[in-house]
C-alpha cells in the first residue's frame, strides 16, 4: 500500500514503537522485574550475573506478553473504562490481531529463552503464569466473579517463584512466602483503586466487589485482607527470608497500611466524595510503596547474608 | 498540497524500524553472551563427557 492511499485519520493513528511497547504494560512489568529479581537474588545459589540478567529480562518479556494478550481479550471493556481507554487498542493505534500476534510470539519466545538460559522448570512456571493470567484470570474469572482479583492476584505473585526456580532449578518454601505476600497484597490494592475509579467497573460490567457487594462491603474487605496481610508479612520476618531490617520495615509499613485500611473502613461515601477519595488514593499509593519496601528489605537481608550479616543468625 | 520530504508518518515508521533493529541487535548480543557464559562456565562439560565414552565404545566395536 502506498502512502497516498492512507487517509489522514489512518496517518494520525499509525502506531509508533512506543505504542507497541505500551501493549506490554510497562508499569506492571516494573513490579514483575523487581519481585522476580528479589526471588532470584534471595535464592541460596549464586547465579552468573549475565544469566541472572537474562532470566529477569525473559520473565519481564513473558509478563509483558501476558499484558498484550490481556489487552487483546479485554479491548471491548478497555474502550469503556476511563482508566484504560487510552491504551493502544481502544485508542486505535494498534489492531487487536496485532496485539494477539505480539502476545503469542513474545510468550513463546520468553518461555523458550528462559528454559534455555536457566532451566526447564523455570520456563514451565513462566508458561503457567502466562496461562493463569490470560486464561484463568482475564478470560474466565474477571468477568464472572467478584473474587476475580483475589484468585487472579496469583498471576502477579508468581514472578518471585520463577526467579527462585531460575536460580536453583528446584522448589522451596521460601519463594512461596514471597508469593503469599503479593497474593494477599493484591486485593486491598485493587479494591482501593475500584473505590476511587468509581463508575469504571460499573460501566464495563466487570463484577468487582464494589459492583456486586457494594462499596461498604468493599471497605470492610479491604480492612480484613489488610489485617491478614499484616499477620503474614510480620510472620515472614521470623523465617529465613526475614531479619532485623525486614522486621523493622514490616512493622512500620504494616502499621501505616493497617491505619489506612481502618480509615477507609470507617468512612462512608459522603465523606469520601467530600475530599475526592483522598484517603483511598493515599492508601493506593502507599500500597505500591508497601510492596517495594517489603521486597527491598528481603533483598537487603539476602545480600547481607552473603557477607555473614543479615537474617537472625 | 505541497510536496514534503518527510511527514510525521515517516518519522513514526523510522522510529518503529529503528526500535525493531535495536531489539534484534539486542537479541543477538544476548544469544552470543549466553553462549559464551554457558561454554566458559562448563555447563556443557557433562554432555561432552557422556558423549565421549559412547564414541570410544563405537570405535572398539
Amino acid at each position: 500500500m502506498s502512502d497516498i492511499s492512507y487517509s489522514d485519520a489512518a496517518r494520525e493513528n499509525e502506531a509508533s514503537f512506543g505504542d507497541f511497547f505500551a501493549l506490554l504494560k510497562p508499569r506492571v512489568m516494573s513490579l514483575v522485574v523487581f519481585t522476580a529479581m528479589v526471588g532470584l537474588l534471595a535464592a541460596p545459589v549464586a547465579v552468573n550475573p549475565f544469566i541472572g540478567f537474562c532470566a529477569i529480562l525473559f520473565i519481564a518479556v513473558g509478563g509483558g506478553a501476558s499484558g498484550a494478550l490481556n489487552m487483546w481479550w479485554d479491548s471491548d471493556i478497555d474502550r469503556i473504562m476511563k482508566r484504560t481507554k487510552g491504551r493502544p487498542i481502544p485508542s486505535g493505534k494498534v489492531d487487536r490481531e496485532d496485539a494477539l500476534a505480539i502476545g503469542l510470539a513474545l510468550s513463546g519466545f520468553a518461555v523458550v529463552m528462559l528454559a534455555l538460559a536457566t532451566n526447564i522448570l523455570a520456563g514451565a512456571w513462566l508458561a503457567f503464569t502466562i496461562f493463569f493470567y490470560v486464561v484463568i484470570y482475564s478470560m474466565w474469572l474477571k468477568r464472572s466473579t467478584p473474587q476475580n482479583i483475589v484468585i487472579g492476584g496469583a498471576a502477579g505473585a508468581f514472578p518471585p517463584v520463577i526467579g527462585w526456580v531460575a536460580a536453583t532449578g528446584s522448589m522451596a518454601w521460601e519463594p512461596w512466602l514471597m508469593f503469599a505476600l503479593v497474593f494477599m497484597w493484591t486485593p486491598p490494592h485493587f479494591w482501593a483503586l475500584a473505590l476511587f475509579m468509581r463508575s469504571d467497573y460499573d460501566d464495563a460490567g466487570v463484577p468487582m466487589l464494589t459492583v456486586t457487594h457494594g462499596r461498604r462491603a468493599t471497605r470492610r474487605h479491604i480492612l480484613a485482607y489488610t489485617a491478614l496481610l499484616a499477620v503474614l508479612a510480620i510472620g515472614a520476618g521470623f523465617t529465613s527470608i526475614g531479619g532485623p531490617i525486614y522486621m523493622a520495615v514490616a512493622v512500620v509499613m504494616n502499621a501505616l497500611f493497617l491505619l489506612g485500611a481502618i480509615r477507609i473502613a470507617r468512612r462512608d461515601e459522603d465523606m469520601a466524595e467530600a475530599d475526592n477519595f483522598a484517603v483511598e488514593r493515599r492508601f493506593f499509593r502507599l500500597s505500591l510503596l508497601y510492596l517495594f519496601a517489603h521486597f527491598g528489605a528481603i533483598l537487603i537481608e539476602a545480600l547481607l547474608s552473603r557477607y555473614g550479616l543479615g537474617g537472625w543468625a | 498540497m505541497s510536496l514534503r520530504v518527510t511527514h510525521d508518518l515517516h518519522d513514526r515508521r523510522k522510529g518503529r524500524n529503528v526500535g525493531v533493529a535495536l531489539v534484534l541487535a539486542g537479541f543477538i548480543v544476548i544469544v552470543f553472551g549466553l553462549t559464551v557464559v554457558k561454554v566458559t562456565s562448563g555447563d556443557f562439560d557433562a554432555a561432552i563427557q557422556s558423549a565421549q565414552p559412547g564414541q570410544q565404545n563405537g570405535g572398539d566395536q
Side-chain angles (χ1 to χ4, degrees):
Chain A
M1 187 185 278
S2 71
D3 288 358
I4 296 166
S5 66
Y6 263 79
S7 67
D8 283 345
R11 285 183 176 181
E12 285 304 313
N13 271 335
E14 187 163 308
S16 65
F17 187 77
D19 293 319
F20 286 106
F21 185 67
L23 279 178
L24 310 184
K25 297 191 176 180
R27 270 189 293 183
V28 178
M29 254 164 61
S30 66
L31 172 73
V32 169
V33 165
F34 185 60
T35 55
M37 185 183 77
V38 173
L40 187 131
L41 291 176
V45 176
V47 180
N48 179 289
F50 188 75
I51 290 187
F53 165 79
C54 289
I56 302 297
L57 180 69
F58 299 140
I59 295 170
V61 171
S66 60
L69 291 171
N70 169 271
M71 285 199 201
W72 160 72
W73 182 258
D74 279 345
S75 60
D76 57 335
I77 55 175
D78 281 353
R79 262 186 202 97
I80 299 167
M81 296 199 286
K82 253 187 319 197
R83 184 172 68 87
T84 54
K85 67 182 177 188
R87 285 178 174 174
I89 298 175
S91 64
K93 295 274 176 63
V94 177
D95 289 337
R96 276 189 85 222
E97 292 71 24
D98 289 348
L100 173 64
I102 289 171
L104 288 175
L106 287 182
S107 296
F109 168 83
V111 168
V112 170
M113 288 304 293
L114 182 65
L116 288 173
T118 59
N119 56 73
I120 290 184
L121 190 60
W125 272 106
L126 182 61
F128 178 73
T129 303
I130 295 169
F131 167 80
F132 196 96
Y133 184 65
V134 176
V135 178
I136 306 288
Y137 170 67
S138 300
M139 294 183 177
W140 178 27
L141 296 172
K142 186 171 178 180
R143 303 189 194 202
S144 63
T145 166
Q147 297 301 311
N148 49 14
I149 284 303
V150 178
I151 308 166
F158 279 122
V161 178
I162 305 172
W164 182 285
V165 173
T168 62
S170 60
M171 195 50 83
W173 60 270
E174 288 95 335
W176 290 106
L177 270 179
M178 296 183 229
F179 171 94
L181 264 180
V182 185
F183 183 75
M184 290 301 295
W185 164 89
T186 306
H189 169 78
F190 274 104
W191 285 332
L193 180 73
L195 280 175
F196 66 81
M197 296 302 290
R198 300 203 299 154
S199 63
D200 262 13
Y201 293 108
D202 292 277
D203 297 344
V206 176
M208 284 294 273
L209 203 62
T210 45
V211 180
T212 58
H213 289 67
R215 308 172 68 78
R216 182 90 212 110
T218 305
R219 292 173 184 279
R220 286 198 301 268
H221 272 73
I222 288 176
L223 179 57
Y225 271 81
T226 304
L228 289 172
L229 174 64
V231 173
L232 174 77
I234 292 175
F238 294 106
T239 69
S240 61
I241 65 167
I245 295 171
Y246 173 90
M247 192 56 100
V249 168
V251 166
V252 172
M253 291 308 301
N254 282 284
L256 291 173
F257 210 43
L258 209 48
L259 200 62
I262 291 168
R263 281 190 184 134
I264 285 180
R266 291 172 70 175
R267 277 155 70 88
D268 58 26
E269 290 311 298
D270 292 337
M271 291 165 77
E273 276 177 32
D275 62 8
N276 195 24
F277 295 87
V279 172
E280 290 78 4
R281 289 175 198 274
R282 211 178 305 136
F283 182 83
F284 179 77
R285 284 196 298 271
L286 179 66
S287 71
L288 295 170
L289 178 66
Y290 177 98
L291 200 67
F292 277 91
H294 277 78
F295 274 80
I298 293 171
L299 181 62
I300 290 170
E301 294 285 2
L303 295 178
L304 285 176
S305 70
R306 293 185 184 176
Y307 300 97
L309 306 163
W312 295 109
Chain B
M1 195 175 86
S2 62
L3 184 68
R4 292 171 59 186
V5 177
T6 57
H7 185 274
D8 181 43
L9 181 75
H10 296 107
D11 288 338
R12 260 179 281 170
R13 283 183 183 169
K14 189 180 174 188
R16 238 162 42 193
N17 293 340
V18 170
V20 171
L22 288 175
V23 168
L24 290 175
F27 181 57
I28 292 167
V29 170
I30 282 170
V31 171
F32 180 70
L34 278 174
T35 308
V36 170
V37 170
K38 292 269 180 190
V39 169
T40 54
S41 64
D43 275 23
F44 300 129
D45 287 355
I48 293 167
Q49 280 165 7
S50 66
Q52 277 171 347
Q55 284 170 352
Q56 282 167 1
N57 290 341
D60 292 343
Q61 289 167 358

